Amino acid sequence: MRCRQPLAHRAPAARPRHRPVALQPWLVSDARNQHRIVRLARRMPVGGGLLVRPDELGRGVLVRQFRALRAIAAGRALTLQLAVRPALARRLGAAGVHVRHGAHGDAAIARRLGLRLSMPVHGPDEAARARRARAAM
């Protein structure tokens, strides 16, 4: 019978090579919370993010709302992304753009403009498309 070393003499267990990533919360706007997005953004923890999908807003309202959100984001170290065309997102000062279904040509434009890219993923096909586009999330 083989003699085993006592627990005190065993080599320590190997440490994981990568530290777990601490996920930061993101607030994603939609038609239900669009009218309160500025108030909700003020309650976001430092370091999170805002993904604004201005589906039903006119351009003037979008610009005013985005300016308010940009000020909040700067004060709370929030990443601010917009679901609009990349050129408009850059003009407004967003950190990134959310490219929706069917607008995949915008991914290349976003990368050229230096914008962070996110895409919707609801299944394996969309996940593969987002990986090919090098979406951050």
Side-chain angles (χ1 to χ4, degrees):
M1 189 178 240
R2 242 173 107 168
C3 181
R4 300 182 87 184
Q5 290 180 339
L7 288 177
H9 294 105
R10 287 189 184 168
R15 291 187 177 177
R17 290 181 177 206
H18 304 287
R19 291 183 180 181
V21 176
L23 297 177
Q24 295 294 336
W26 277 74
L27 175 62
V28 179
S29 74
D30 61 16
R32 293 170 298 178
N33 67 8
Q34 190 65 52
H35 63 285
R36 354 177 244 160
I37 191 75
V38 173
R39 188 169 34 129
L40 293 170
R42 288 188 187 109
R43 299 178 65 191
M44 287 291 294
V46 172
L50 302 169
L51 173 55
V52 181
R53 300 183 302 180
D55 295 329
E56 300 178 14
L57 296 180
R59 192 174 184 127
V61 174
L62 167 65
V63 171
R64 283 192 303 278
Q65 185 182 75
F66 188 78
R67 285 183 181 145
L69 291 171
R70 190 173 54 204
I72 294 166
R76 303 195 61 73
L78 300 173
T79 300
L80 189 52
Q81 290 200 200
L82 273 174
V84 295
R85 302 300 304 258
L88 178 57
R90 181 158 184 200
R91 244 188 338 271
L92 291 174
V97 65
H98 183 71
V99 175
R100 301 204 180 191
H101 301 285
H104 305 295
D106 283 350
I109 295 168
R111 281 195 308 276
R112 272 197 309 276
L113 293 175
L115 296 170
R116 178 185 176 106
L117 176 64
S118 67
M119 298 175 81
V121 174
H122 300 102
D125 292 342
E126 289 177 346
R129 190 175 299 125
R131 272 192 302 276
R132 284 192 305 271
R134 298 189 306 266
M137 54 185 242

